[in-house]
């Protein structure tokens, strides 16, 4: 590494300043770029999970349905809390959007205080992976049940319901798509943090 | 870093040997420990996913069932391929156990050829996280459907079936438990690889 001369005022002897003391401009710039990409990805994660959550909780639909043993049709509503799988999905989205908000703020503060990056990025990387596991499993759970609502299952006599509650099913499908996108963002963040400390 | 003297035979002047040239015994030993833990975890992952797979594909059960419109009871069987969610789960288990086998062999070869560790550990870390997402979502999908088989859902008229097909449901529950354990192993491997390059 090239070093520059630095004549000592008392002895006059020149002491070489190691180049590593002055950070090369390129690594400071790439650090900033990394942080910005991280922040943008986390903001995207927050918007995707929050939107998926709002769509889920506003998905309920009421239809006049002819119930067995009842003479006239009665209003029957379909809501996310009719199914434990959808309840698990909504809870996972609440946790994920809250985590996305907090991690965005942490990432912004690391931009302002780079000296804390080494410690905090370990926690962020680990929590990204935990959130990936939770959101992927919750998306799978809701997806499995939503598929039955869409197609039914003749083998076991479970009828489809999306032919009646079309809005309910459209909202759930939208929320599942957003949640799948959020899971992919978490996967990118996890792999990104694993790579960023090795290259 | 302390360094030892190394007198030059020609000039007789002593040239300090940097201590870093001789790898301190502790870091070589800790590298070996890391690799052994990694291999053991991957062998556990392979056994868990393979066992879960075998349990799933041997879960079918046939019962005499009174079908509507049929005078006498008929043999009706419950199998994993009656449900797309369980098919997805089985496919994910096949991919996961195959990946666990290959990554165990890679990890063993890194023990024998440490110089390749830096390159390969990036790929292993990234693939661990991808497998985590896939297995967690497949476990969630099968779990959501299995819960309906166990409890039914009165809101939409889906009857439970585990009261009739108890063996089928027990096998699926066992397979789900093993798969959840495998997902946690993948989470540990992912976090472990993210940490191992930073401390």
């Amino acid at each position: 590494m090239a070093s520059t001369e630095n004549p000592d005022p008392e002895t006059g002897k020149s002491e070489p300043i190691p180049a590593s003391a002055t950070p090369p401009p390129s690594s400071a710039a790439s650090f900033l770029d990394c942080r910005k990409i991280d922040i943008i990805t986390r903001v995207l994660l927050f918007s995707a999970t929050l939107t998926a959550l709002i769509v889920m909780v506003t998905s309920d639909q009421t239809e006049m349905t002819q119930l067995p043993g009842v003479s006239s049709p009665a209003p029957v509503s379909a809501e996310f809390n009719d199914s434990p799988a959808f309840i698990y999905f909504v809870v996972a989205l609440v946790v994920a959007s809250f985590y996305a908000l907090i991690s965005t703020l942490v990432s912004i503060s690391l931009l302002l205080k780079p000296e804390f990056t080494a410690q905090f990025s370990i926690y962020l990387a680990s929590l990204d992976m935990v959130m990936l596991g939770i959101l992927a499993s919750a998306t799978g759970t809701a997806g499995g049940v939503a598929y039955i609502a869409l197609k039914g299952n003749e083998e076991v006599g479970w009828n489809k319901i999306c032919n009646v509650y079309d809005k309910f099913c459209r909202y759930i499908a939208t929320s599942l798509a957003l949640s799948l996108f959020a899971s992919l963002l978490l996967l990118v963040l996890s792999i990104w943090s694993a790579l960023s400390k090795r290259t």
Side-chain angles (χ1 to χ4, degrees), chain A residues 47-132:
Chain A
S47 359
T49 46
L50 189 64
T51 314
L53 178 61
I54 294 167
V55 168
M56 262 315 269
V57 298
T58 56
S59 61
D60 46 307
Q61 178 182 3
T62 303
E63 291 293 335
M64 299 303 288
T65 311
Q66 182 60 51
L67 295 173
V70 179
S71 57
S72 61
V76 178
S77 67
E79 294 153 0
F80 78 87
N81 44 26
D82 287 344
S83 163
F86 294 149
I87 294 171
Y88 171 44
F89 183 48
V90 165
V91 169
L93 285 172
V94 168
V95 172
S97 50
F98 186 69
Y99 170 73
L101 179 64
I102 301 293
S103 66
T104 303
L105 300 179
V106 167
S107 199
I108 291 170
S109 54
L110 291 183
L111 195 64
L112 310 175
K113 297 236 178 225
E115 62 271 21
F116 293 113
T117 300
Q119 299 127 294
F120 275 92
S121 56
I122 293 182
Y123 298 119
L124 275 185
S126 307
L127 288 172
D128 285 342
M129 295 168 205
V130 172
M131 273 322 305
L132 168 63

Side-chain angles (χ1 to χ4, degrees), chain A residues 119-198:
Chain A
Q119 299 127 294
F120 275 92
S121 56
I122 293 182
Y123 298 119
L124 275 185
S126 307
L127 288 172
D128 285 342
M129 295 168 205
V130 172
M131 273 322 305
L132 168 63
I134 292 172
L135 196 58
S137 79
T139 307
T141 304
V145 174
Y147 186 85
I148 297 173
L150 183 66
K151 302 272 189 186
N153 188 316
E154 279 162 25
E155 304 281 347
V156 287
W158 294 343
N159 299 322
K160 58 185 171 186
I161 63 166
C162 289
N163 48 334
V164 176
Y165 297 97
D166 51 345
K167 174 217 165 187
F168 178 67
C169 290
R170 250 195 339 271
Y171 274 50
I172 288 178
T174 309
S175 190
L176 283 170
L178 286 165
S179 180
L180 186 62
F181 174 62
S183 302
L184 292 175
L185 286 178
L186 279 166
L187 180 61
V188 165
L189 282 169
S190 303
I191 293 177
W192 170 272
S193 66
L195 294 184
S196 64
K197 262 302 148 187
R198 295 165 190 250

